[in-house]
Amino acid sequence: MNELDQFMRASGFDEVHVDGETVRVANEMGIATIELTLELVDRPDADLAYEQRKGIFEEMRTAYTVTSDPNGSEVVATTEFALDVAIIGDVLDSTIIKRQRRKELTAQVDWLEEGTSLNEGEE
């Protein structure tokens, strides 16, 4: 997760731009393009956390926590959001957003697992 640009790209976003503590992402979802400006935030209970500063959500937060596990490490990702109905309207609903977000988070965790497997093989 320290390679933030690659980690965010692993989610499958169509566009990712990292500039210091600011991350801009865009994704095509059917007939709509969702663009978000995210800001990294310090949360003592998370290894990586960010919040939306500009985008389609009334508010959105994502946090990743890494804990030791007998077989290595476990990554837990959580996202909380509230839709801005005035912006979304009938095009998207929370079910579609949840499904898409689950897909993105799963892709990121898969990317981490692949990177860890490669590192283990190099030892």
Side-chain angles (χ1 to χ4, degrees):
M1 291 187 300
N2 291 333
E3 298 172 13
L4 187 58
D5 186 71
Q6 292 179 17
F7 181 66
M8 295 302 284
R9 286 184 191 285
S11 67
F13 290 119
D14 296 318
E15 293 180 38
V16 175
H17 302 282
V18 177
D19 184 15
E21 302 290 305
T22 302
V23 179
R24 290 179 183 81
V25 297
N27 213 12
E28 299 287 329
M29 288 188 63
I31 62 171
T33 299
I34 296 177
E35 298 177 332
L36 304 175
T37 300
L38 311 168
E39 183 178 321
L40 299 180
V41 294
D42 186 26
R43 286 188 41 186
D45 61 332
D47 293 284
L48 173 66
Y50 52 82
E51 297 177 358
Q52 174 195 273
R53 294 297 179 233
K54 182 178 177 185
I56 65 165
F57 300 101
E58 192 172 312
E59 60 183 5
M60 189 276 288
R61 295 178 192 84
T62 298
Y64 303 84
T65 305
V66 181
T67 55
S68 294
D69 180 281
N71 298 320
S73 298
E74 177 183 38
V75 177
V76 176
T78 57
T79 296
E80 301 169 354
F81 66 89
L83 291 174
D84 186 341
V85 179
I87 293 176
I88 300 299
D90 295 330
V91 177
L92 300 170
D93 66 15
S94 63
T95 303
I96 293 170
I97 298 291
K98 286 178 186 176
R99 187 177 321 129
Q100 177 65 27
R101 192 64 184 133
R102 187 175 308 115
K103 179 180 165 186
E104 293 163 357
L105 294 173
T106 298
Q108 286 178 314
V109 171
D110 289 347
W111 180 81
L112 288 172
E113 287 176 351
E114 288 172 15
T116 302
S117 297
L118 290 175
N119 290 338
E120 289 173 357
E122 294 172 356
E123 293 182 346

